[in-house]
Amino acid sequence: MKYRWQNWALTIVGLYVLVSPWVIPYFSPESSISASAQWNHFIVGIAVVLVAFAVLASMQAWEEYIEGILGLWLLVSPWLFGFSHVGPFAWNAVISGLLIIALAAGAVLYVRYHGEYEV
């Protein structure tokens, strides 16, 4: 069975998104976000990790599109949940969302052009 490095990287990014509501205030004590925004990070982080593991287990291309959608959701979440003015959290969501989108797109492109999964 062959695996792609993008899914392992997505797992790491997902774990970071999962714990980031507790990590960022440690380094930037003046920043805080609402409980709904914290839950958003928690749920998106868990979803990214679960989908990345699902891709590793079943290797379906549509799962990469789900990861891309999760990344897009995280990217726009500072404006949806009203924490775009909280610099560290807003930048965290935007950068993490862009990373998830880029890794998912890389995985989709790899499958499209190579037709198989990389070892």
Side-chain angles (χ1 to χ4, degrees):
M1 189 176 281
K2 297 181 177 184
Y3 302 106
R4 281 176 284 129
W5 64 270
Q6 293 97 335
N7 293 308
W8 293 110
L10 280 163
T11 302
I12 293 168
V13 174
L15 289 172
Y16 170 73
V17 170
L18 174 70
V19 300
S20 65
W22 297 279
V23 172
I24 291 174
Y26 180 77
F27 293 105
S28 182
E30 70 281 351
S31 63
S32 65
I33 55 174
S34 67
S36 61
Q38 289 177 348
W39 275 103
N40 177 60
H41 277 71
F42 184 72
I43 291 169
V44 170
I46 287 176
V48 168
V49 169
L50 290 177
V51 173
F53 280 143
V55 172
L56 291 171
S58 67
M59 295 188 193
Q60 299 294 319
W62 64 267
E63 294 163 334
E64 305 292 359
Y65 292 104
I66 299 296
E67 289 171 335
I69 292 168
L70 289 169
L72 182 62
W73 174 262
L74 191 61
L75 177 69
V76 299
S77 67
W79 295 275
L80 294 175
F81 289 100
F83 64 94
S84 61
H85 64 283
V86 183
F89 279 106
W91 280 109
N92 174 64
V94 168
I95 292 170
S96 298
L98 287 173
L99 273 172
I100 292 169
I101 292 168
L103 289 168
V108 168
L109 290 174
Y110 185 86
V111 170
R112 177 171 288 176
Y113 291 112
H114 295 281
E116 63 180 358
Y117 287 75
E118 182 179 340
V119 175

